[in-house]
Amino acid sequence: MPQIESREFGQLTYDENDVYLFPSGLPGFAGNREFLLVERGGLAPFCFLQSVAEGGLRFICLPTGMVDGAYQAEVGAEFAGELEIEPGSYGPASEGVQVLAILTIPEAGPATANLLAPVVLAPGTRRGCQCIQFGTGAPAAYEIPWMVRRAPQVVD
């Protein structure tokens, strides 16, 4: 079985059938087209998109339903073709599709979720893409007030 050395997770052994192909890559990372969805029980609902090619490249994500329960990603014909699914609106209750928001976690202040360009995964086809939500007004930095980095507490 193939392995990668991940900066955050150490040695990851994976089955090639678990790899998601991103035909267009991710904006800014077009050379990285293969990712693993890494889920760890103790870190749920957070998950990670780990590049297969670069062990130091990973994105922390949340299902969009954890950010905004009413959020729907519009998957147009172009993106649907890459995913090999039907065009349409996909949200937390959609079958056969996972919609994730990539997070930014600053040193101070609340984390933000990118709802302008959610990551849509189609487990049935093992395809993924970052589906930009043109004309929807979805924010690229949606604040998550319940998620603030805190300084470590000293226990006496």
Side-chain angles (χ1 to χ4, degrees):
M1 289 191 127
Q3 297 180 332
I4 57 172
E5 185 66 35
S6 168
R7 185 174 57 209
E8 282 75 21
F9 302 109
Q11 193 79 13
L12 284 176
T13 301
Y14 62 95
D15 185 317
E16 289 184 16
N17 294 322
D18 292 335
V19 175
Y20 281 90
L21 173 65
F22 284 69
S24 298
L26 293 170
F29 302 94
N32 288 273
R33 296 176 189 264
E34 294 183 326
F35 288 85
L36 294 171
L37 180 62
V38 179
E39 299 174 283
R40 297 283 196 248
L43 299 174
F46 299 97
C47 56
F48 305 84
L49 281 178
Q50 172 66 57
S51 169
V52 171
E54 289 184 47
L57 179 61
R58 64 98 183 105
F59 301 95
I60 185 169
C61 302
L62 264 177
T64 55
M66 295 295 300
V67 177
D68 177 351
Y71 183 82
Q72 295 285 313
E74 297 301 323
V75 179
E78 176 187 351
F79 295 128
E82 285 189 25
L83 293 164
E84 299 178 1
I85 62 171
E86 291 297 316
S89 294
Y90 294 93
S94 298
E95 285 189 37
V97 174
Q98 251 184 308
V99 184
L100 304 173
I102 294 177
L103 303 181
T104 299
I105 304 172
E107 288 295 323
T112 60
N114 184 347
L115 297 180
L116 177 62
V119 171
V120 179
L121 301 176
T125 62
R126 303 314 286 179
R127 299 278 181 132
C129 76
Q130 197 165 12
C131 297
I132 300 169
Q133 303 297 289
F134 296 107
T136 64
Y142 182 89
E143 283 193 7
I144 308 172
W146 56 266
M147 194 175 153
V148 176
R149 186 182 298 220
R150 304 211 189 286
Q153 300 294 316
V154 177
V155 178
D156 292 327

